[in-house]
Structures are given as structure tokens and as C-alpha cells.
């Protein structure tokens, strides 16, 4: 498609991506924008990042850019760093061959190593979805569509290139990507592409936990988390990611599903209005009921008190989940704070209410309590409403609220003890 037949303009492309392509071109190499950025530009969306593909090898790319670092074991990539922006540059991928030093698959057909270079045509065949096999050439301002991606966009369909079962076995994460694109682009998954997903969902257990953590962030923290969650449930892809929630996902009207959907809806609203979100809040939501259930079980079976049972349950549940999806410590620590404060928020007498207000994670814990209250109602909602009023009340009204609370609970305010007079010390200087 020459420039007159598509809507992509250089004004919509990152200056740094243009610099990378021009330098590769000037060094005698071909260079194209490819994948999601071209798809989004064709749809009139603003791309989140820009990926470049070239016939230069990773070592040749590194030789052209001082700000380049090579990454990846399964397939070598070049990251060219411009401050906060990273332009990812890949060499054209080729078809697999029998040489295990450059390509290797396991018994399920999953690619373990994939350093096979090839031509642009072979690279297009190796792309996952048809609308991701469009290439923008900055030298001619043209777009080459190798797999009828334009037609898929017009039909509103997510469609894999090649045999879906083979492609999913090569990389099971493609099943998650199919769902994510369907939610993000408001498309449906082509029946041919959708058919093998439920049968092959178990293959996600072969994916390293660290990679699944990154995929989880893309699934739920891209502004379309609620719709993504519903599609993941529809295709039985949630249980391989969160095995402890298997029973929950089978019950569509449960309080567990209600809490998760409410939090995802709020998260989408925050993301789409430019507010900050943290993965810790989502993880706390997904695993809250397993923690409660496990703590109750520990109390009844091991005879532990509520405090000890809850602390052990938190550690057990986070450890089990980390076997499937890695949870970095910077997030698991916040998750523990949010959970622990759920036990403290009901205890508001004396100075406790003010101490809780000054806790660094009070706001996150309060938001979580509010979501629980709106899901379950009853005493939880009353408690959440009390904290809603208390944190915004004047000091005088806060004192009145605490006095009212004491009266309702039938508690007498503690009498202040008179400070003891210090004993005289004859040896003091």
C-alpha cells in the first residue's frame, strides 16, 4: 500500500523509532516498523511502543548504536535506549531447522530456543496474528500487508497465522494474547483461532512464572481488564494462571467473582483517566478469599489463634501463587500490608484509629475494604462507610465519632493514669 492508500504519517511515529530506522537504512540495511504499532496506527490509535525489524543481525545492530543492549535467550533482541523510551529491534526470523544450536522445541512443541534468522517473507509467516504482519517502510512510506491483516481489522477478528494448534503449542502465551487483543480492540476471536484454546489451556503451566507475571500486567492493567477477565473465564484460561481459584471461576455469581469484577472495573476507570494503579492491589483482590479460607482451615485443624493463622495463610497463599505467576517482593510486601490492615481496620478504639490513618498503606487498605463492603454488604459496608466519614472529618467530629462508637459498643473510656513522680537519685549529678 503506497502512502496514498493508508493513514500512517511520520508525525504519528516516535522520533526515536525514526532515528533507528534511518540509521539502519543509511548503513545499508532494511528497516521496518512492525506488529502492534503498525496495527494501532492503521486503526487510528496511538501506539504504546514502537518495534522495528531489520535484516541486520543483533551484533550488527549493536555495532551501530552505542545505546544498545542485547537481550533474550529464546530469541536475541536489541533494545536501543533513549532515556525512558526503548525501541526494540529484532532481526527477521526464519523457519526452524534441525540444528539444535539455533532452534529447539520440547515434547509439547513449545519453542525453547529460536535464533533462526531469515527474510522478511519468512518473518511475516512467523508472526502470530494476521494484523501483526503489516510492515511500514520509512524509506518508501509504504505498508506491506503479508497476511490480509487489513481484512481482519475490517471484520473485527483476531485471527492466527497458520495452524492454531501448532502455533499455540509453539508458544502457549499466544492464547493469552488472542484474548487480550480481542478485549483491547473490541474484536471477536475467529472460530478457527478460538477452537483449540480450551483444550490447550493447560500448556500455560509450562511458561516461566516471571514471564506470566509480565503477561498478567498486560492482561489486567491495560485499561480493558474487566472484559479481558470475562474472556479468560470464557476460554478456561484463568485456572492455569490462578489454580487456587478453580472453584471460584466455576461459580459465576459468587462474592469472589463480584469482588474481582468490581476491582477490575475501578482499575480500568483509573487507568483510562490517567490515575496510578499498582499490581499489588489486583493481586490482593484475586487471592483474598483463598487467604481467608486457608486461615479458617488452619484455625480449625491446627488449633492456631486467628492472628497466627492469618499470618501463616498469607505466606502460604503467596508462595503457592508464585509457583505459577511470580510476585516480586516489592509487590508481595504491599499485598501483605493490605491484607494485614483488613484485620486491624475493625479495631478503632483509643489511638488506634489515628495510628491506622497514618499508616503508609492505609489508603490502599481502605479502598480494598470499601470494595469488599460493596461486594458483601452488611457489617463490612458499615465499617467501610465509618472510615469514609472518619478520615475526612474534623478533629472534633472524629472525637465525637469515637465516643459514639464506644457508647454503641458499651465501652467506658479509659481513665488516664497520673504519671508517677520520679524517685530521687542521690547519685545523680
Amino acid at each position: 500500500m503506497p502512502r496514498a492508500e493508508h493513514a500512517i504519517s511520520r508525525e504519528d511515529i516516535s522520533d526515536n523509532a525514526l532515528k533507528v530506522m534511518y540509521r539502519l537504512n543509511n548503513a545499508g540495511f532494511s528497516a521496518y516498523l512492525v506488529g502492534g504499532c503498525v496495527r494501532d496506527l492503521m486503526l487510528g490509535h496511538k501506539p504504546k511502543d514502537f518495534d522495528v525489524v531489520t535484516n541486520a543481525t543483533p551484533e550488527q545492530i549493536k555495532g551501530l548504536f552505542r545505546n544498545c543492549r542485547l537481550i533474550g535467550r529464546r530469541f536475541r533482541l536489541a533494545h536501543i535506549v533513549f532515556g525512558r523510551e526503548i525501541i526494540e529491534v529484532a532481526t527477521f526470523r526464519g523457519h526452524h531447522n534441525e540444528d539444535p544450536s539455533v532452534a529447539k522445541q520440547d515434547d509439547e512443541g513449545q519453542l525453547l530456543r529460536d535464533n533462526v534468522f531469515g527474510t522478511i517473507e519468512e518473518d511475516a509467516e512467523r508472526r502470530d496474528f494476521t494484523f501483526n504482519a503489516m510492515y511500514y517502510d520509512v524509506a518508501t512510506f509504504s505498508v506491506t500487508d503479508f497476511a490480509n491483516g487489513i481484512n481482519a481489522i475490517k471484520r473485527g477478528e483476531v485471527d492466527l497465522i497458520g495452524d492454531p494448534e501448532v502455533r499455540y503449542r509453539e508458544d502457549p502465551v499466544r492464547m493469552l494474547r488472542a484474548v487480550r487483543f480481542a478485549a483491547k480492540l473490541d474484536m471477536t476471536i475467529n472460530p478457527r483461532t478460538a477452537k483449540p484454546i480450551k483444550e490447550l489451556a493447560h500448556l500455560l503451566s509450562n511458561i516461566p512464572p516471571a514471564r506470566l507475571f509480565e503477561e498478567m500486567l498486560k492482561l489486567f492493567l491495560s485499561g480493558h481488564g474487566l472484559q479481558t477477565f470475562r474472556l479468560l473465564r470464557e476460554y478456561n484460561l484463568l485456572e492455569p494462571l490462578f489454580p487456587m481459584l478453580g472453584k471460584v471461576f466455576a461459580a459465576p455469581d459468587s462474592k469472589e467473582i463480584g469482588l474481582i469484577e468490581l476491582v477490575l472495573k475501578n482499575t480500568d476507570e483509573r487507568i483510562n483517566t490517567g490515575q496510578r494503579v499498582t499490581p499489588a492491589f489486583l493481586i490482593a483482590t484475586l487471592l483474598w478469599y483463598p487467604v481467608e479460607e486457608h486461615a479458617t482451615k488452619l484455625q480449625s485443624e491446627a488449633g492456631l489463634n486467628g492472628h497466627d493463622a492469618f499470618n501463616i495463610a498469607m505466606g502460604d497463599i503467596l508462595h503457592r501463587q508464585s509457583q505459577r505467576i511470580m510476585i516480586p517482593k516489592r509487590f508481595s510486601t504491599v499485598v501483605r500490608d493490605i491484607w494485614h490492615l483488613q484485620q486491624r481496620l475493625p479495631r478503632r478504639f483509643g489511638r488506634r484509629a489515628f495510628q491506622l490513618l497514618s499508616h503508609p498503606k492505609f489508603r490502599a487498605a481502605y479502598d480494598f475494604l470499601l470494595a469488599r463492603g460493596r461486594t458483601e454488604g452488611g457489617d463490612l459496608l458499615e465499617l467501610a462507610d465509618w472510615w469514609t466519614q472518619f478520615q475526612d472529618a474534623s478533629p472534633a467530629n472524629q472525637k465525637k465519632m469515637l465516643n459514639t462508637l464506644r457508647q454503641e459498643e458499651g465501652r467506658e473510656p479509659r481513665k488516664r493514669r497520673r504519671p508517677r513522680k520520679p524517685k530521687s537519685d542521690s547519685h545523680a549529678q
Side-chain angles (χ1 to χ4, degrees):
M1 289 176 282
R3 177 65 186 88
E5 294 180 19
H6 64 79
I8 297 180
S9 166
R10 278 177 296 172
E11 293 178 1
D12 301 321
I13 299 172
S14 154
D15 288 341
N16 293 322
L18 291 172
K19 285 179 191 173
V20 169
M21 290 190 288
Y22 285 137
R23 186 173 296 184
L24 285 164
N25 284 164
N26 292 336
F29 299 108
S30 303
Y32 304 82
L33 283 182
V34 69
C37 60
V38 179
R39 177 199 67 227
D40 289 348
L41 288 168
M42 297 291 273
L43 284 165
H45 300 167
K46 185 177 180 180
K48 186 179 177 183
D49 44 41
F50 292 85
D51 293 339
V52 172
V53 69
T54 178
N55 58 346
T57 66
E59 289 70 24
Q60 288 171 326
I61 298 166
K62 187 172 177 61
L64 289 173
F65 297 92
R66 292 172 59 189
N67 52 334
C68 173
R69 61 171 183 252
L70 300 184
I71 65 158
R73 185 181 303 172
R74 196 169 67 98
F75 186 78
R76 296 281 278 168
L77 297 167
H79 276 183
I80 303 177
V81 184
F82 297 90
R84 291 189 175 184
E85 185 179 18
I86 295 175
I87 305 299
E88 186 172 281
V89 185
T91 306
F92 292 141
R93 286 179 292 180
H95 293 304
H96 311 142
N97 57 36
E98 300 302 318
D99 183 355
S101 67
V102 291
K104 185 180 179 182
Q105 291 176 277
D106 66 11
D107 294 338
E108 296 280 4
Q110 183 179 337
L111 286 171
L112 304 177
R113 191 162 53 240
D114 192 18
N115 287 307
V116 185
F117 302 137
T119 64
I120 188 172
E121 291 81 10
E122 290 174 322
D123 188 80
E125 289 177 3
R126 294 288 312 280
R127 296 277 152 188
D128 48 10
F129 300 100
T130 56
F131 50 43
N132 285 343
M134 293 187 288
Y135 295 67
Y136 174 79
D137 184 358
V138 73
T140 61
F141 314 127
S142 64
V143 173
T144 304
D145 178 7
F146 284 94
N148 290 321
I150 288 293
N151 290 339
I153 288 173
K154 288 177 180 175
R155 294 193 309 270
E157 283 190 345
V158 178
D159 195 12
L160 269 171
I161 297 171
D163 182 332
E165 181 170 345
V166 172
R167 302 310 305 279
Y168 290 144
R169 287 188 181 278
E170 285 178 351
D171 186 0
V173 167
R174 286 175 179 145
M175 293 183 279
L176 301 180
R177 286 167 61 82
V179 164
R180 179 160 63 86
F181 288 140
K184 174 186 174 181
L185 303 173
D186 194 22
M187 293 182 175
T188 58
I189 302 177
N190 180 284
R192 179 186 74 90
T193 297
K195 187 178 178 182
I197 292 179
K198 290 182 180 180
E199 183 185 338
L200 300 179
H202 68 278
L203 294 176
L204 287 168
S205 61
N206 299 332
I207 302 300
R211 187 178 178 206
L212 282 183
F213 175 75
E214 296 300 327
E215 291 300 324
M216 184 189 73
L217 299 186
K218 294 175 187 176
L219 289 166
F220 296 125
L221 300 182
S222 298
H224 309 275
L226 178 57
Q227 179 60 14
T228 302
F229 176 77
R230 289 173 174 171
L231 285 174
L232 289 169
R233 281 188 65 203
E234 180 183 338
Y235 288 104
N236 295 348
L237 290 169
L238 280 169
E239 192 170 346
L241 301 177
F242 303 97
M244 288 176 288
L245 292 171
K247 294 177 184 177
V248 171
F249 298 139
D253 299 323
S254 65
K255 65 180 181 181
E256 292 90 346
I257 294 293
L259 177 63
I260 293 169
E261 291 210 341
L262 175 62
V263 167
L264 284 171
K265 181 183 176 185
N266 293 342
T267 301
D268 288 345
E269 289 172 358
R270 289 181 66 85
I271 291 169
N272 294 323
T273 54
Q275 299 178 70
R276 292 180 63 184
V277 296
T278 172
F281 197 88
L282 177 64
I283 295 165
T285 302
L286 287 161
L287 301 179
W288 168 250
Y289 289 111
V291 168
E292 270 199 327
E293 183 182 343
H294 189 41
T296 302
K297 187 177 178 182
L298 287 171
Q299 275 186 275
S300 62
E301 293 183 1
L304 296 171
N305 63 50
H307 180 267
D308 289 345
F310 192 78
N311 281 338
I312 293 170
M314 287 195 296
D316 286 351
I317 294 300
L318 284 170
H319 175 72
R320 286 187 209 168
Q321 183 57 51
S322 294
Q323 306 305 301
R324 190 58 54 92
I325 298 178
M326 184 192 73
I327 304 174
K329 190 173 181 180
R330 67 184 185 277
F331 298 127
S332 65
T333 302
V334 178
V335 171
R336 284 175 178 270
D337 283 341
I338 292 172
W339 285 344
H340 184 60
L341 286 170
Q342 301 309 297
Q343 306 293 297
R344 293 178 59 190
L345 286 168
R347 302 196 287 269
R348 297 158 281 172
F349 299 104
R351 299 297 303 168
R352 286 174 175 172
F354 297 104
Q355 289 167 353
L356 286 167
L357 271 183
S358 64
H359 194 286
K361 294 297 178 285
F362 168 79
R363 184 69 202 189
Y366 159 74
D367 286 343
F368 189 61
L369 175 67
L370 189 58
R372 290 174 59 213
R374 288 176 177 171
T375 302
E376 297 186 36
D379 292 343
L380 263 183
L381 187 55
E382 285 185 20
L383 176 62
D385 287 343
W386 188 92
W387 278 108
T388 301
Q389 296 172 47
F390 185 77
Q391 62 185 304
D392 294 326
S394 66
N397 284 335
Q398 286 179 335
K399 190 174 181 180
K400 283 181 183 177
M401 289 178 70
L402 289 172
N403 287 333
T404 302
L405 193 63
R406 283 193 198 97
Q407 291 167 7
E408 289 174 353
E409 295 287 329
R411 293 195 182 194
E412 291 294 327
R414 287 183 179 178
K415 292 181 179 179
R416 286 189 178 182
R417 292 182 179 178
R418 290 185 178 181
R420 291 182 178 180
K421 290 182 179 180
K423 292 181 180 179
S424 59
D425 186 351
S426 59
H427 298 288
Q429 296 295 322

